[in-house]
Amino acid sequence: MARGRAFEQGWGKTSGNERAGFLEALADELEEHRNALATLEVRDNGKPLPEVEWDVANAIGCFRYYAELARELDER
């Protein structure tokens, strides 16, 4: 199986803590722009605002969840 460019450029060598940092940074950016993202999603596909707000919050939660799992890689 061919390896992807991200893996070849060093992602596979990063620590869990480093990976968690990237994931947390993504979550922070989503958090910072959550209202704008929700508004764009409502305009883009017509979903009700409360549903889109949940979607954005869920995406933020997912990045934070996987950041925590990444940190656990260093504990093994």
Side-chain angles (χ1 to χ4, degrees):
M1 176 186 306
R3 291 184 177 192
R5 193 170 46 175
F7 189 85
E8 292 170 356
Q9 292 178 351
W11 182 254
K13 295 179 178 87
T14 59
S15 70
N17 222 19
E18 290 173 302
R19 293 178 190 199
F22 287 115
L23 294 168
E24 285 288 349
L26 285 168
D28 291 344
E29 285 292 318
L30 287 173
E31 188 99 57
E32 184 177 333
H33 301 287
R34 76 184 318 154
N35 292 333
L37 290 168
T39 300
L40 287 172
E41 270 302 288
V42 167
R43 290 179 182 171
D44 184 45
N45 63 28
K47 243 179 168 177
L49 182 60
E51 197 171 317
V52 171
E53 289 172 332
W54 184 91
D55 289 342
V56 174
N58 188 49
I60 293 166
C62 283
F63 280 111
R64 296 203 191 283
Y65 172 78
Y66 286 108
E68 189 56 38
L69 290 180
R71 279 188 194 91
E72 291 176 12
L73 291 172
D74 292 343
E75 296 172 8
R76 295 181 184 171

